[in-house]
Amino acid sequence: MKILICGAGYVGLANALMLSSKHQVSIYEIDKKRVSDISANDYSILDERNLEDLPIVNSNISVTDKNDSVNYDYVIIALPTDSTENGRLDVSNIIDFIGNHKKTQPNSIYIVKSTLPIGGSKKILDSVGEFIYAPEFLREGTAVHDAFYPSRIIIGGTNELALKASELLSKCVLNQPEIILTNYREAECIKLFSNTYLAMRIAFFNELDTFMMNENLDSRTIIHGMGLDDRIGLFYNNPSFGFGGYCLPKDTEEVINSLNTKLISQINNSNSYRIENIINHILKCGYKKIGVYKLSSKTGSKGIRNSSTIILIDALKKHGIEIYVYDPENQTINDWIRVESTKKLFEITDIVIANRIDDSIKKYKDKIFTRDIFSCN
Ligand SMILES: NC(=O)c1ccc[n+]([C@@H]2O[C@H](COP(=O)([O-])OP(=O)(O)OC[C@H]3O[C@@H](n4cnc5c(N)ncnc54)[C@H](O)[C@@H]3O)[C@@H](O)[C@H]2O)c1
């Protein structure tokens, strides 16, 4: 099959690598640096290790920043769907892309992997006609592995295109995920409510941890004691400075702004409240020089979109605290003072804040402020 993928971010590139195991994949991407990296088989934008374990076929992948008029069997859209001012996800770039391509490639099957807002499918259908919505569930940091081993395949759409899309998406994966054929609106809800649940769970354990931190109680014991109940479980329960990343804040915002909710409507507020509490806690300690160990929300990912650590740093700076940052993977942003080694970071600062701790700084544990209790994401 000939497949075109539009957008080479986490979703587009991870799916391109997965589909390359059996198909010819062309990628259309407007970022010239990404185009030249991918042409050189450099997939480091995905910050993922052990790709050599996977049946990726580099010779099946091509990438360009120019539109072409090849006839593709499938066109997969992995464009950003950012929040607009009214807190709803924007699908206009998807409509533009499909609209333009359908003029020259009317027979391709169009599959949208970008996250759609509630009612987004209808907007696309009304504007440009038939397509399939197959929401993506991969995680940054393990995007390619997740593409090869998806937790489930959801196909929104009501006709024979859905079966063809399901065949394409299930034939290259290395597991046997459940495939659910559903209507568009249900597919939208499965995606958005999944991310909303994850955000809520993080917010829940963070609120619990805020209380324990302020009362000087041991969060580890409490969370462990709760999680022994199988209905709660000993997973996805590790406190942090707050949830961040590209998807959880914006997808939660989408649900809050499109539906009448009571519990969900408070999730993003709870996250802001968490960060405020962490800021106040640090300020009370009276530190003048604070080090920061890495900016991303997760170990193993360099993604810093909506990073709670960055929100924290900006707030601390406003209180006149000197900030020193160690993060070799994120060198290009902001004007913070950069430190080249963890040794120096710990030498020149009063305390180092770390959203997540890894082996390289465990030896400094007495000089670290973290809420990472279980050493996992
Ligand atoms: N990041 C995740 O973990 C994740 C997981 C599941 C779903 N999603 C959803 O998938 C979609 C894409 O997310 P992502 O994280 O891959 O985004 P991303 O920002 O990492 O990548 C998007 C890519 O599209 C390119 N692009 C933008 N406009 C373009 C255009 N007009 N033509 C061609 N290329 C263009 C950008 O340069 C970028 O490389 C979003 O809707 C997101 O919500 C993301």
Side-chain angles (χ1 to χ4, degrees):
M1 295 282 178
K2 281 202 188 107
I3 300 166
L4 174 67
I5 296 198
C6 175
Y10 285 95
V11 172
L13 184 53
N15 276 282
L17 300 183
M18 182 267 286
L19 291 164
S20 77
S21 62
K22 292 204 168 85
H23 305 287
Q24 293 289 329
V25 182
S26 304
I27 302 173
Y28 169 60
E29 164 61 57
I30 51 172
D31 181 330
K32 288 191 169 18
K33 165 90 172 70
R34 283 196 176 185
V35 170
S36 83
D37 286 351
I38 296 167
S39 315
N41 302 334
D42 173 354
Y43 310 130
S44 51
I45 52 161
L46 296 171
D47 48 40
E48 191 164 346
R49 288 161 198 87
N50 303 327
L51 293 185
E52 60 286 355
D53 298 348
L54 298 168
I56 295 164
V57 181
N58 287 320
S59 57
N60 278 346
I61 301 171
S62 62
V63 57
T64 173
D65 59 355
K66 312 257 175 329
N67 266 315
D68 61 30
S69 50
V70 174
N71 271 323
Y72 293 102
D73 299 297
Y74 293 88
V75 177
I76 297 181
I77 293 107
L79 291 170
T81 45
D82 292 337
S83 271
T84 51
E85 269 174 17
N86 63 6
R88 303 292 314 274
L89 301 184
D90 184 12
V91 295
S92 55
N93 58 0
I94 296 175
I95 291 174
D96 290 349
F97 181 82
I98 300 181
N100 283 333
H101 273 252
K102 276 202 171 175
K103 286 180 200 151
T104 52
Q105 293 160 43
N107 299 324
S108 305
I109 296 174
Y110 289 79
I111 301 178
V112 172
K113 285 242 134 211
S114 307
T115 300
L116 295 181
I118 303 281
S121 303
K122 182 165 184 325
K123 255 191 193 170
I124 298 174
L125 279 173
D126 290 349
S127 308
V128 293
E130 264 190 332
F131 76 103
I132 290 299
Y133 179 37
E136 179 59 65
F137 298 93
L138 59 73
R139 297 157 297 176
E140 292 182 13
T142 53
V144 189
H145 280 85
D146 290 350
F148 274 102
Y149 295 92
S151 50
R152 66 280 213 198
I153 295 177
I154 307 293
I155 310 278
T158 48
N159 47 30
E160 89 265 16
L161 294 189
L163 289 174
K164 287 190 176 156
S166 120
E167 188 155 322
L168 176 78
L169 295 174
S170 60
K171 284 283 157 25
C172 295
V173 301
L174 301 175
N175 59 349
Q176 289 172 334
E178 188 168 333
I179 299 171
I180 301 181
L181 302 184
T182 179
N183 66 34
Y184 291 104
R185 215 167 158 76
E186 285 160 354
E188 289 166 3
C189 288
I190 291 170
K191 174 62 197 172
L192 288 169
F193 278 90
S194 295
N195 270 0
T196 306
Y197 174 77
L198 295 175
M200 181 189 70
R201 190 164 163 116
I202 298 171
F204 179 92
F205 283 103
N206 281 344
E207 272 203 40
L208 176 158
D209 181 60
T210 298
F211 176 73
M212 305 309 157
M213 190 172 77
N214 293 339
E215 297 285 322
N216 213 11
L217 296 169
D218 182 14
S219 287
R220 173 192 292 273
T221 306
I222 290 143
I223 296 173
H224 186 74
M226 287 171 59
L228 291 171
D229 182 329
D230 288 343
R231 294 169 300 176
I232 299 172
L234 294 165
F235 56 88
Y236 213 62
N237 57 4
N238 194 16
S240 64
F241 295 155
F243 62 76
Y246 179 37
C247 296
L248 297 194
K250 78 173 172 70
D251 293 357
T252 306
E253 189 79 2
E254 164 61 32
V255 176
I256 292 171
N257 286 304
S258 54
L259 304 174
N260 181 7
T261 65
K262 300 290 180 273
L263 169 67
I264 293 172
S265 64
Q266 292 307 314
I267 296 172
N268 281 349
N269 287 343
S270 167
N271 202 42
S272 305
Y273 178 69
R274 168 64 167 178
I275 300 174
E276 277 166 36
N277 264 277
I278 298 281
I279 294 165
N280 290 337
H281 187 89
I282 294 172
L283 287 175
K284 267 195 227 146
C285 299
Y287 303 117
K288 299 274 177 281
K289 292 181 178 184
I290 294 185
V292 178
Y293 179 72
K294 298 200 172 169
L295 302 165
S296 67
S297 302
K298 299 202 299 194
T299 303
S301 163
K302 62 185 173 196
I304 51 166
R305 291 184 272 195
N306 302 307
S307 152
S308 47
T309 302
I310 294 180
I311 298 172
L312 198 56
I313 297 175
D314 287 340
L316 294 172
K317 271 196 91 170
K318 285 194 186 125
H319 285 86
I321 293 169
E322 282 177 41
I323 301 288
Y324 298 82
V325 175
Y326 172 82
D327 190 343
E329 284 170 332
N330 281 300
Q331 292 282 9
T332 50
I333 46 144
N334 284 313
D335 57 349
W336 306 311
I337 303 165
R338 296 284 169 170
V339 180
E340 298 311 317
S341 70
T342 49
K343 186 167 177 284
K344 180 129 191 254
L345 184 74
F346 283 91
E347 269 167 17
I348 63 175
T349 55
D350 303 326
I351 192 84
V352 170
I353 59 173
N355 188 50
R356 291 289 177 246
I357 297 194
D358 57 39
D359 287 344
S360 69
I361 59 165
K362 273 190 177 149
K363 61 184 170 210
Y364 302 109
K365 68 177 181 347
D366 295 340
K367 217 181 157 182
I368 296 174
F369 175 79
T370 186
R371 299 310 297 169
D372 177 1
I373 294 173
F374 299 112
S375 299
C376 59
N377 279 320

